[in-house]
Coordinates of all heavy atoms in Angstrom, one line a residue:
G289 N 5.6 45.9 20.8 CA 6.8 45.1 20.8 C 6.9 44.2 22.1 O 7.3 43.1 22.0
Y290 N 6.6 44.8 23.2 CA 6.6 44.1 24.5 C 5.6 42.9 24.4 O 5.8 41.8 24.9 CB 6.3 45.0 25.6 CG 7.3 46.1 25.9 CD1 7.4 47.2 25.3 CD2 8.4 45.8 26.9 CE1 8.4 48.2 25.6 CE2 9.4 46.7 27.1 CZ 9.4 48.0 26.5 OH 10.3 48.9 26.8
I291 N 4.4 43.2 23.8 CA 3.3 42.3 23.7 C 3.7 41.1 22.8 O 3.5 39.9 23.1 CB 2.1 42.9 23.2 CG1 1.5 43.9 24.4 CG2 1.0 41.9 22.9 CD1 0.3 44.7 24.0
V292 N 4.4 41.4 21.7 CA 4.9 40.4 20.8 C 5.9 39.5 21.6 O 5.9 38.2 21.4 CB 5.6 40.9 19.5 CG1 6.3 39.8 18.7 CG2 4.5 41.6 18.7
H293 N 6.8 40.1 22.3 CA 7.7 39.4 23.1 C 7.1 38.5 24.1 O 7.4 37.3 24.3 CB 8.7 40.4 23.8 CG 9.7 39.6 24.7 ND1 10.6 38.7 24.1 CD2 10.1 39.8 26.0 CE1 11.4 38.3 25.1 NE2 11.1 38.9 26.2
L294 N 6.1 39.0 24.8 CA 5.4 38.2 25.8 C 4.7 37.0 25.1 O 4.6 35.9 25.6 CB 4.3 39.1 26.5 CG 4.8 40.0 27.6 CD1 3.8 41.0 28.0 CD2 5.4 39.3 28.7
G295 N 4.1 37.3 23.9 CA 3.4 36.3 23.2 C 4.3 35.2 22.6 O 3.8 34.1 22.3
D296 N 5.6 35.5 22.5 CA 6.4 34.5 21.9 C 7.1 33.6 23.0 O 8.3 33.2 22.9 CB 7.5 35.2 21.1 CG 8.3 34.1 20.2 OD1 7.8 33.1 19.9 OD2 9.6 34.5 19.9
H297 N 6.4 33.3 24.0 CA 7.0 32.6 25.1 C 6.5 31.1 25.2 O 6.6 30.5 26.3 CB 6.9 33.3 26.5 CG 8.0 34.2 26.7 ND1 8.2 35.4 26.0 CD2 9.1 34.2 27.6 CE1 9.3 36.0 26.4 NE2 9.8 35.3 27.4
D298 N 5.8 30.7 24.2 CA 5.3 29.3 24.1 C 6.5 28.4 24.3 O 6.4 27.3 24.9 CB 4.7 29.1 22.7 CG 4.7 27.7 22.3 OD1 3.9 26.9 22.8 OD2 5.5 27.3 21.4
W299 N 7.7 28.8 23.9 CA 8.9 27.9 24.0 C 9.3 27.5 25.5 O 10.0 26.5 25.7 CB 10.1 28.5 23.4 CG 10.5 29.8 24.0 CD1 10.1 31.1 23.7 CD2 11.4 30.0 25.1 NE1 10.7 32.0 24.5 CE2 11.5 31.4 25.4 CE3 12.2 29.1 25.9 CZ2 12.3 31.9 26.4 CZ3 13.0 29.7 27.0 CH2 13.0 31.1 27.2
V300 N 8.9 28.4 26.4 CA 9.2 28.1 27.8 C 8.7 26.7 28.2 O 9.5 26.0 29.0 CB 8.6 29.1 28.7 CG1 8.8 28.8 30.3 CG2 9.2 30.5 28.4
L301 N 7.6 26.3 27.8 CA 7.1 24.9 28.0 C 7.3 24.0 26.8 O 7.7 22.8 27.0 CB 5.6 24.9 28.4 CG 4.9 23.6 28.5 CD1 5.5 22.8 29.6 CD2 3.4 23.9 28.8
S302 N 7.2 24.5 25.6 CA 7.2 23.6 24.5 C 8.6 23.0 24.2 O 8.8 21.9 23.6 CB 6.6 24.3 23.3 OG 7.4 25.5 22.9
S303 N 9.6 23.8 24.6 CA 11.0 23.2 24.3 C 11.3 22.1 25.3 O 11.7 21.0 24.8 CB 12.1 24.4 24.6 OG 12.0 25.3 23.5
P304 N 11.2 22.2 26.6 CA 11.3 21.1 27.4 C 10.4 19.9 27.1 O 10.7 18.7 27.2 CB 11.2 21.5 28.8 CG 10.5 22.8 28.7 CD 10.9 23.4 27.4
A305 N 9.2 20.2 26.7 CA 8.2 19.2 26.3 C 8.8 18.4 25.1 O 8.7 17.1 25.1 CB 6.9 19.8 25.9
A306 N 9.3 19.0 24.1 CA 9.9 18.3 23.0 C 11.2 17.5 23.4 O 11.3 16.4 23.0 CB 10.3 19.3 21.9
Q307 N 12.0 18.1 24.2 CA 13.2 17.4 24.7 C 12.9 16.2 25.5 O 13.7 15.2 25.4 CB 14.0 18.3 25.5 CG 14.6 19.5 24.6 CD 15.0 20.7 25.5 OE1 15.0 20.7 26.7 NE2 15.4 21.8 24.8
K308 N 11.8 16.2 26.3 CA 11.4 15.0 27.1 C 10.7 14.0 26.2 O 10.7 12.8 26.5 CB 10.6 15.4 28.2 CG 11.3 16.3 29.3 CD 10.4 16.9 30.4 CE 11.1 17.8 31.3 NZ 10.2 18.5 32.2
T309 N 10.0 14.4 25.2 CA 9.2 13.5 24.4 C 10.1 12.6 23.5 O 9.8 11.4 23.4 CB 8.2 14.3 23.5 OG1 7.3 15.0 24.4 CG2 7.4 13.4 22.5
S310 N 11.2 13.2 23.0 CA 11.9 12.4 22.0 C 12.5 11.2 22.6 O 12.4 10.1 21.9 CB 13.1 13.4 21.5 OG 13.8 12.7 20.4
P311 N 13.2 11.2 23.7 CA 13.7 9.9 24.2 C 12.6 8.8 24.5 O 12.9 7.6 24.4 CB 14.5 10.3 25.5 CG 14.0 11.6 25.8 CD 13.6 12.3 24.6
L312 N 11.5 9.3 25.0 CA 10.4 8.4 25.3 C 9.9 7.7 24.0 O 9.6 6.5 23.9 CB 9.3 9.0 26.1 CG 8.1 8.1 26.3 CD1 8.5 6.9 27.1 CD2 7.0 8.9 27.2
L313 N 9.7 8.5 23.0 CA 9.4 8.0 21.6 C 10.4 7.0 21.1 O 10.0 5.9 20.6 CB 9.2 9.1 20.6 CG 7.9 9.9 20.8 CD1 7.9 11.1 19.7 CD2 6.6 9.2 20.7
K314 N 11.6 7.2 21.4 CA 12.7 6.2 20.9 C 12.5 5.0 21.7 O 12.7 3.9 21.1 CB 14.1 6.9 21.2 CG 15.2 6.0 20.7 CD 16.5 6.8 20.8 CE 16.6 7.9 19.8 NZ 18.0 8.5 19.7
K315 N 12.3 5.1 23.0 CA 12.1 3.9 23.8 C 10.9 3.1 23.3 O 10.9 1.8 23.2 CB 11.9 4.3 25.3 CG 11.6 3.1 26.2 CD 11.4 3.7 27.7 CE 11.2 2.5 28.6 NZ 11.1 3.0 30.1
I316 N 9.7 3.8 23.0 CA 8.6 3.1 22.4 C 8.9 2.5 21.0 O 8.4 1.4 20.8 CB 7.4 4.1 22.4 CG1 7.0 4.6 23.8 CG2 6.2 3.5 21.5 CD1 6.0 5.7 23.8
A317 N 9.6 3.2 20.2 CA 9.9 2.6 18.9 C 10.7 1.4 19.0 O 10.4 0.4 18.3 CB 10.7 3.6 18.1
V318 N 11.6 1.3 20.0 CA 12.5 0.0 20.2 C 11.7 -1.1 20.8 O 11.6 -2.2 20.3 CB 13.7 0.4 20.9 CG1 14.5 -0.9 21.3 CG2 14.6 1.3 20.2
Q319 N 11.0 -0.7 21.9 CA 10.3 -1.8 22.7 C 9.0 -2.2 22.2 O 8.6 -3.4 22.2 CB 10.1 -1.3 24.1 CG 11.4 -1.0 24.9 CD 11.2 -0.6 26.3 OE1 10.0 -0.4 26.7 NE2 12.2 -0.5 27.1
Q320 N 8.2 -1.3 21.5 CA 6.9 -1.6 21.1 C 6.8 -2.0 19.6 O 6.0 -2.7 19.1 CB 5.9 -0.5 21.4 CG 5.8 0.0 22.8 CD 5.1 -1.1 23.6 OE1 4.2 -1.8 23.2 NE2 5.6 -1.2 24.9
Y321 N 7.8 -1.4 18.8 CA 7.7 -1.6 17.3 C 8.9 -2.4 16.8 O 9.0 -2.7 15.6 CB 7.7 -0.3 16.7 CG 6.4 0.5 16.9 CD1 6.2 1.2 18.0 CD2 5.3 0.3 16.0 CE1 5.0 1.9 18.3 CE2 4.0 1.0 16.2 CZ 3.9 1.8 17.4 OH 2.7 2.4 17.5
G322 N 9.9 -2.8 17.7 CA 10.9 -3.6 17.3 C 12.0 -2.9 16.5 O 12.8 -3.5 15.8
M323 N 12.1 -1.6 16.7 CA 13.1 -0.8 15.9 C 14.5 -1.2 16.5 O 14.6 -1.2 17.7 CB 12.8 0.7 16.0 CG 13.7 1.5 15.1 SD 13.3 3.3 15.2 CE 11.8 3.3 14.3
S324 N 15.4 -1.4 15.6 CA 16.8 -1.8 16.1 C 17.5 -0.5 16.7 O 17.1 0.6 16.4 CB 17.7 -2.2 14.9 OG 17.9 -1.2 13.9
D325 N 18.5 -0.8 17.4 CA 19.2 0.4 18.1 C 19.8 1.3 17.0 O 19.8 2.5 17.2 CB 20.3 -0.2 19.0 CG 19.8 -0.8 20.3 OD1 18.6 -0.5 20.6 OD2 20.5 -1.6 20.9
S326 N 20.4 0.7 16.0 CA 20.9 1.6 14.9 C 19.9 2.4 14.2 O 20.1 3.6 14.0 CB 21.7 0.7 13.9 OG 20.8 -0.2 13.3
D327 N 18.7 1.8 13.9 CA 17.6 2.5 13.3 C 17.1 3.6 14.2 O 16.6 4.7 13.7 CB 16.5 1.6 12.9 CG 16.8 0.9 11.6 OD1 17.8 1.2 10.9 OD2 16.1 -0.1 11.2
S328 N 17.1 3.4 15.5 CA 16.6 4.3 16.5 C 17.5 5.6 16.6 O 17.1 6.5 17.2 CB 16.4 3.7 17.8 OG 17.6 3.4 18.4
N329 N 18.6 5.5 16.0 CA 19.6 6.7 15.9 C 19.7 7.2 14.6 O 20.7 8.0 14.3 CB 20.9 6.3 16.6 CG 20.8 6.0 18.0 OD1 20.5 6.9 18.8 ND2 21.1 4.8 18.5
G330 N 18.8 7.0 13.7 CA 19.0 7.5 12.4 C 17.6 7.8 11.7 O 16.6 8.2 12.4
A331 N 17.6 7.8 10.4 CA 16.4 8.2 9.6 C 15.2 7.5 10.0 O 14.1 8.1 10.1 CB 16.7 8.0 8.1
A332 N 15.2 6.2 10.3 CA 14.0 5.5 10.6 C 13.3 6.0 11.8 O 12.0 6.1 11.8 CB 14.4 3.9 10.8
F333 N 14.1 6.3 12.8 CA 13.4 7.0 14.0 C 12.9 8.4 13.6 O 11.8 8.8 14.2 CB 14.4 7.1 15.2 CG 13.8 7.8 16.3 CD1 12.7 7.2 17.0 CD2 14.3 9.0 16.8 CE1 12.2 7.9 18.2 CE2 13.7 9.7 17.8 CZ 12.7 9.1 18.5
N334 N 13.6 9.1 12.9 CA 13.1 10.5 12.5 C 11.8 10.3 11.8 O 10.9 11.2 12.2 CB 14.1 11.1 11.6 CG 15.4 11.5 12.3 OD1 15.5 11.6 13.5 ND2 16.5 11.8 11.5
Y335 N 11.6 9.4 10.9 CA 10.3 9.2 10.3 C 9.2 8.9 11.3 O 8.1 9.4 11.3 CB 10.4 8.2 9.2 CG 11.5 8.3 8.1 CD1 12.1 7.2 7.6 CD2 11.8 9.6 7.8 CE1 13.1 7.4 6.6 CE2 12.8 9.8 6.8 CZ 13.5 8.7 6.3 OH 14.5 8.8 5.4
F336 N 9.6 8.0 12.2 CA 8.6 7.6 13.3 C 8.2 8.8 14.2 O 7.1 9.1 14.4 CB 9.3 6.5 14.1 CG 8.4 6.0 15.2 CD1 7.7 4.8 15.0 CD2 8.5 6.5 16.5 CE1 6.9 4.3 16.1 CE2 7.7 6.1 17.6 CZ 7.0 4.9 17.3
K337 N 9.2 9.5 14.6 CA 9.1 10.7 15.4 C 8.3 11.8 14.8 O 7.4 12.4 15.3 CB 10.5 11.2 15.9 CG 10.5 12.4 16.8 CD 11.9 12.8 17.1 CE 12.1 14.0 17.9 NZ 11.7 15.2 17.3
N338 N 8.6 12.1 13.6 CA 8.0 13.1 12.8 C 6.5 12.8 12.7 O 5.7 13.8 12.8 CB 8.6 13.3 11.4 CG 9.9 14.0 11.4 OD1 10.3 14.6 12.4 ND2 10.6 13.9 10.3
Y339 N 6.1 11.6 12.3 CA 4.7 11.3 12.1 C 3.9 11.4 13.5 O 2.8 12.0 13.5 CB 4.5 10.0 11.5 CG 3.1 9.8 10.8 CD1 2.9 10.4 9.6 CD2 2.2 9.3 11.5 CE1 1.6 10.4 9.0 CE2 0.8 9.2 11.0 CZ 0.6 9.8 9.7 OH -0.7 9.7 9.2
A340 N 4.5 10.7 14.5 CA 3.8 10.7 15.8 C 3.6 12.1 16.3 O 2.5 12.5 16.7 CB 4.5 9.9 16.8
E341 N 4.6 12.9 16.2 CA 4.6 14.3 16.8 C 3.7 15.2 16.0 O 2.9 16.1 16.5 CB 5.9 14.9 16.9 CG 6.8 14.2 18.0 CD 8.2 14.7 18.1 OE1 8.6 15.6 17.4 OE2 8.9 14.3 19.1
A342 N 3.7 15.0 14.6 CA 2.8 15.9 13.8 C 1.4 15.6 14.0 O 0.5 16.4 14.0 CB 3.2 15.7 12.3
Q343 N 1.1 14.3 14.4 CA -0.3 14.0 14.7 C -0.8 14.4 16.0 O -1.9 14.8 16.2 CB -0.5 12.5 14.5 CG -0.5 11.9 13.1 CD -1.6 12.2 12.3 OE1 -2.8 12.1 12.8 NE2 -1.4 12.7 11.1
L344 N 0.1 14.3 17.0 CA -0.3 14.4 18.4 C 0.2 15.7 19.1 O -0.3 16.1 20.0 CB 0.2 13.1 19.2 CG -0.4 11.8 18.8 CD1 0.4 10.7 19.3 CD2 -1.9 11.7 19.2
S345 N 1.5 16.1 18.7 CA 2.2 17.3 19.3 C 3.0 16.8 20.5 O 2.5 15.9 21.2 CB 1.3 18.4 19.6 OG 0.7 18.3 20.9
C346 N 4.2 17.4 20.6 CA 5.0 17.2 21.8 C 4.3 17.6 23.0 O 4.5 17.1 24.1 CB 6.3 17.8 21.6 SG 7.3 17.3 20.2
M347 N 3.5 18.7 22.9 CA 2.8 19.2 24.1 C 1.9 18.2 24.7 O 1.9 17.9 25.9 CB 2.1 20.5 23.7 CG 3.1 21.7 23.4 SD 3.8 22.4 24.8 CE 2.5 23.3 25.5
Y348 N 1.1 17.6 23.8 CA 0.1 16.6 24.3 C 0.8 15.4 24.9 O 0.4 14.9 25.9 CB -0.8 16.2 23.1 CG -1.8 15.2 23.4 CD1 -2.9 15.4 24.3 CD2 -1.6 13.9 22.9 CE1 -3.9 14.4 24.6 CE2 -2.6 12.9 23.2 CZ -3.6 13.1 24.0 OH -4.6 12.2 24.4
L349 N 1.8 14.9 24.1 CA 2.5 13.7 24.6 C 3.2 14.0 25.9 O 3.3 13.2 26.8 CB 3.5 13.3 23.6 CG 2.9 12.7 22.2 CD1 4.0 12.5 21.2 CD2 2.1 11.5 22.5
N350 N 3.8 15.2 26.1 CA 4.4 15.6 27.4 C 3.5 15.6 28.5 O 3.7 15.2 29.6 CB 5.2 16.8 27.2 CG 5.8 17.3 28.5 OD1 5.4 18.3 29.0 ND2 6.8 16.6 28.9

Side-chain angles (χ1 to χ4, degrees):
Y290 292 88
I291 292 171
V292 172
H293 180 54
L294 287 170
D296 190 28
H297 273 69
D298 157 75
W299 61 269
V300 173
L301 173 57
S302 57
S303 285
Q307 292 159 5
K308 294 172 184 176
T309 296
S310 186
L312 179 53
L313 287 178
K314 184 172 292 189
K315 181 178 179 180
I316 291 170
V318 171
Q319 294 184 354
Q320 302 291 326
Y321 293 83
M323 188 177 289
S324 68
D325 288 340
S326 60
D327 281 349
S328 71
N329 290 297
F333 175 67
N334 291 342
Y335 305 146
F336 181 92
K337 176 179 184 292
N338 283 347
Y339 199 82
E341 291 179 354
Q343 288 289 314
L344 297 162
S345 83
C346 297
M347 292 287 285
Y348 177 72
L349 293 173
N350 176 249

